[in-house]
């Protein structure tokens, strides 16, 4: 079904001035077909309505009742709908347009203008005039909506609060649990720190004991090294002494061989002497016999003197062990003095003839 054509009347309204009469005409009882576009002026220039403001039409109907409806606007143009209630009573209706800021802190109203409402031929009883407060109704509706929305928001907020409180309680419980774990960890850390300090102290003591033992061991090592060096030196001296004794023994062995040869010569000489005694006078024989006996004793003594006694102790502990060798021949020796050999250590030997 096609809609009816909307009838629009354009008027200009100065924001200050006298009442403008008979600017708009309408028919009693018309509905949703009569509109007014009022251009607001300020000394002839357009009065631009700030964004966010509210435009409201105030109408005093011919029967004394009122209409307080909101309007749409664009720039300086305000569209006013002449509703069924605005046209309910015939006669002259007085109107103006007010502009309010969103917080109602400022209000400005245009000059008044009149609308002539021609009487309708319809039954007057069919048209009942009453106050119309679309702006108030809209405000009330807005308030109710705000209250409803606020209640919804409050419920949502309460649900969020409850959820947040539950989360807070859960977080607090988790925090308490973590705090208990942290406290246990701290106690464990303190115990470990005490043990570490004790272990460190014990390790220091052990290190000190080990250092002391190492010092003693080092000193003992130095002493042993010194003793080893002395023993090595003594060994070298002992080896030298042994080598000397070996050489002496070899010399003595050679002397023994010489003595053995001398003994054989003495026995040969004895035989010759015996033969000589047998052929000599008795007195000469006795004298010669005595001389031979003395010579024989000396030879025996010479043979016996070739005895080598070796003391096997260390050079520092060995006592004096002299070796006496009578190296003279029986013909030239007048005394028992021969070669005297001191068998002591190289460091303590005194006699070296």
């Amino acid at each position: 079904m096609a809609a009816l054509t909307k009838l629009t009347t354009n008027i200009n309204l100065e924001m200050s001035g006298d009442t403008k009469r008979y600017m708009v005409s309408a028919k009693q009882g018309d509905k949703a077909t009569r509109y007014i576009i009022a251009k607001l002026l300020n000394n002839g220039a357009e009065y631009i309505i700030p964004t966010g403001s509210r435009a409201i039409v105030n109408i005093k109907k011919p029967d004394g009742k009122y209409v307080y409806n909101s309007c749409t606007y664009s720039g300086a143009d305000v569209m006013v709908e002449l509703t069924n209630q605005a046209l309910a009573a015939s006669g002259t209706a007085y109107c103006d347009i007010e502009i309010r800021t969103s917080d109602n802190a400022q209000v400005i109203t245009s000059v008044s203008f009149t609308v002539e409402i021609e009487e309708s031929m319809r039954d007057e009883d069919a048209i009942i005039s009453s106050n119309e407060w679309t702006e108030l109704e809209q405000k009330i509706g807005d308030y109710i909506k705000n209250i409803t929305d606020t209640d919804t928001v409050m419920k949502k907020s309460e649900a969020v609060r409850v959820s947040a409180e539950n989360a807070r309680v859960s977080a607090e419980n988790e925090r308490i649990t973590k705090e208990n774990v942290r406290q246990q960890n701290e106690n464990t850390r303190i115990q470990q720190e005490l043990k570490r300090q004790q272990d460190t102290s014990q390790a220091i003591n052990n290190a000190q004991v080990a250092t002391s033992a190492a010092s003693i061991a080092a000193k003992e090592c130095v002493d042993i090294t010194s003793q080893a060096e002395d023993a090595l030196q003594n060994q070298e001296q002992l080896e030298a002494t042994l080598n000397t004794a070996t050489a002496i023994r070899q010399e003595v062995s050679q002397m023994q061989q010489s003595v053995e040869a001398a003994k054989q010569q003495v026995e040969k000489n004895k035989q010759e002497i015996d033969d000589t005694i047998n052929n000599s006078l008795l007195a000469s024989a006795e004298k010669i016999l005595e001389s031979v006996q003395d010579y024989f004793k000396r030879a025996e003594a010479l043979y016996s003197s070739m005895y080598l006694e070796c003391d096997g102790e260390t050079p520092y502990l060995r006592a004096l062990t002299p070796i006496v060798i009578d190296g003279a021949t029986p013909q030239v020796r007048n005394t028992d003095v021969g070669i005297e050999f001191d068998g002591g250590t190289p460091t303590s030997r005194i006699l070296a003839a």
Side-chain angles (χ1 to χ4, degrees):
M1 182 179 62
L4 298 177
T5 302
K6 297 179 181 180
L7 301 178
T8 302
T9 302
N10 293 292
I11 62 175
N12 294 328
L13 292 178
E14 280 286 346
M15 298 303 291
S16 61
D18 295 334
T19 300
K20 304 296 182 183
R21 298 183 181 275
Y22 308 115
M23 294 187 68
V24 179
S25 62
K27 191 71 174 184
Q28 181 185 13
D30 287 352
K31 181 178 181 181
T33 54
R34 302 279 184 177
Y35 292 87
I36 299 172
I37 295 179
K39 181 179 291 293
L40 303 183
L41 303 175
N42 180 18
N43 294 323
E46 291 184 350
Y47 181 85
I48 303 302
I49 301 173
T51 301
S53 301
R54 298 200 316 275
I56 301 168
V57 63
N58 297 305
I59 301 174
K60 182 179 179 182
K61 294 191 293 184
D63 58 2
K65 294 190 172 20
Y66 292 88
V67 171
Y68 186 72
N69 293 344
S70 59
C71 305
T72 60
Y73 66 88
S74 175
D77 296 331
V78 179
M79 178 175 283
V80 178
E81 180 184 1
L82 297 177
T83 62
N84 183 253
Q85 276 300 323
L87 302 177
S90 61
T92 301
Y94 292 87
C95 312
D96 61 24
I97 296 174
E98 68 178 46
I99 306 299
R100 290 176 174 270
T101 58
S102 59
D103 59 357
N104 295 322
Q106 291 179 306
V107 179
I108 188 170
T109 305
S110 71
V111 297
S112 298
F113 65 92
T114 61
V115 175
E116 290 297 325
I117 303 173
E118 184 181 357
E119 183 179 0
S120 174
M121 298 298 102
R122 292 186 296 273
D123 185 1
E124 292 291 337
D125 294 335
I127 301 173
I128 301 175
S129 178
S130 64
N131 295 321
E132 186 176 40
W133 309 95
T134 59
E135 174 65 17
L136 293 178
E137 290 173 354
Q138 183 175 352
K139 279 188 175 183
I140 293 172
D142 291 342
Y143 290 150
I144 293 173
K145 183 176 183 300
N146 288 336
I147 292 172
T148 303
D149 293 343
T150 301
D151 183 65
T152 302
V153 171
M154 288 179 61
K155 289 179 179 179
K156 291 182 178 179
S157 299
E158 179 63 15
V160 172
R161 187 196 68 77
V162 171
S163 177
E165 177 64 17
N166 293 334
R168 186 195 68 78
V169 172
S170 178
E172 178 65 15
N173 293 334
E174 183 178 359
R175 186 196 67 79
I176 293 173
T177 301
K178 290 182 178 179
E179 177 62 20
N180 293 333
V181 172
R182 188 198 67 79
Q183 188 64 38
Q184 292 176 357
N185 293 337
E186 180 64 14
N187 294 335
T188 302
R189 187 195 66 78
I190 293 174
Q191 293 176 358
Q192 291 176 347
E193 178 63 17
L194 293 176
K195 186 176 183 302
R196 185 193 66 78
Q197 293 177 357
Q198 295 174 354
D199 293 343
T200 301
S201 178
Q202 185 62 38
I204 292 174
N205 293 333
N206 294 339
Q208 291 175 348
V209 172
T211 301
S212 178
S215 298
I216 295 173
K219 184 176 181 304
E220 291 178 352
C221 182
V222 171
D223 294 341
I224 292 173
T225 302
S226 177
Q227 293 176 7
E229 291 176 352
D230 294 340
L232 180 60
Q233 182 179 3
N234 294 337
Q235 183 178 2
E236 292 176 353
Q237 294 174 354
L238 180 60
E239 289 178 354
T241 303
L242 181 59
N243 292 335
T244 302
T246 302
I248 294 172
R249 182 175 180 181
Q250 291 176 354
E251 292 178 357
V252 170
S253 179
Q254 293 175 358
M255 291 180 182
Q256 286 178 345
Q257 293 176 359
S258 298
V259 170
E260 183 66 26
K263 182 179 180 181
Q264 292 176 1
Q265 183 65 39
V266 168
E267 290 180 351
K268 182 179 180 182
N269 292 337
K270 181 180 179 182
Q271 184 64 40
E272 292 178 352
I273 292 171
D274 289 339
D275 293 342
T276 302
I277 291 172
N278 292 329
N279 298 322
S280 300
L281 297 172
L282 180 59
S284 298
E286 292 177 356
K287 186 176 182 180
I288 291 172
L289 179 59
E290 291 176 359
S291 178
V292 170
Q293 289 177 349
D294 182 63
Y295 180 78
F296 183 76
K297 290 179 181 180
R298 289 178 181 272
E300 288 291 335
L302 178 61
Y303 178 78
S304 300
S305 64
M306 298 306 294
Y307 175 76
L308 176 63
E309 182 179 356
C310 180
D311 186 356
E313 296 294 335
T314 63
Y316 293 102
L317 298 177
R318 187 167 63 244
L320 183 62
T321 309
I323 301 173
V324 180
I325 302 174
D326 186 0
T329 63
Q331 289 83 7
V332 299
R333 186 170 63 244
N334 297 322
T335 64
D336 292 333
V337 178
I339 297 174
E340 185 176 359
F341 175 76
D342 183 0
T345 65
T347 56
S348 63
R349 188 165 58 243
I350 299 175
L351 184 60

